[in-house]
Amino acid sequence: MSHAKPHPKFMEAMRKLKLMSEEERLSEENKELFEQAMKYAPLDIQPALIAIQKKYEQTYH
């Protein structure tokens, strides 16, 4: 597990995404916010975000 403090942009994106339903998180409108979370995510969290991204791609594309 990473001991470094998560990047502020990651924390901001996750705060917003946490308040949404799964459908809202995976929506096209929130794609940019989700990508921000992925870009700044700690390495130990990235696999979970990648799995969510794959689910999005299967659901909406």
Side-chain angles (χ1 to χ4, degrees), residues 24-35:
E24 289 174 312
R25 272 184 237 126
L26 298 176
S27 72
E28 192 66 33
E29 295 84 41
N30 293 309
K31 184 177 182 183
E32 191 173 306
L33 186 61
F34 188 83
E35 287 174 352

Side-chain angles (χ1 to χ4, degrees), residues 10-27:
F10 170 75
M11 297 302 292
E12 172 193 1
M14 290 307 292
R15 249 192 321 275
K16 292 176 182 177
L17 290 167
K18 194 166 117 175
L19 297 173
M20 299 175 190
S21 69
E22 182 179 35
E23 188 174 298
E24 289 174 312
R25 272 184 237 126
L26 298 176
S27 72

Side-chain angles (χ1 to χ4, degrees), residues 1-5 9-10 13-14 17-18 22 24 28 32 35 37 39 43 47 49 51-52 54 56 59-61:
M1 184 183 283
S2 175
H3 295 288
K5 187 175 180 182
K9 287 192 177 275
F10 170 75
M14 290 307 292
L17 290 167
K18 194 166 117 175
E22 182 179 35
E24 289 174 312
E28 192 66 33
E32 191 173 306
E35 287 174 352
K39 181 176 180 180
L43 292 176
L49 294 176
I52 294 168
K54 286 181 183 176
Y56 165 83
T59 303
Y60 294 100
H61 291 105

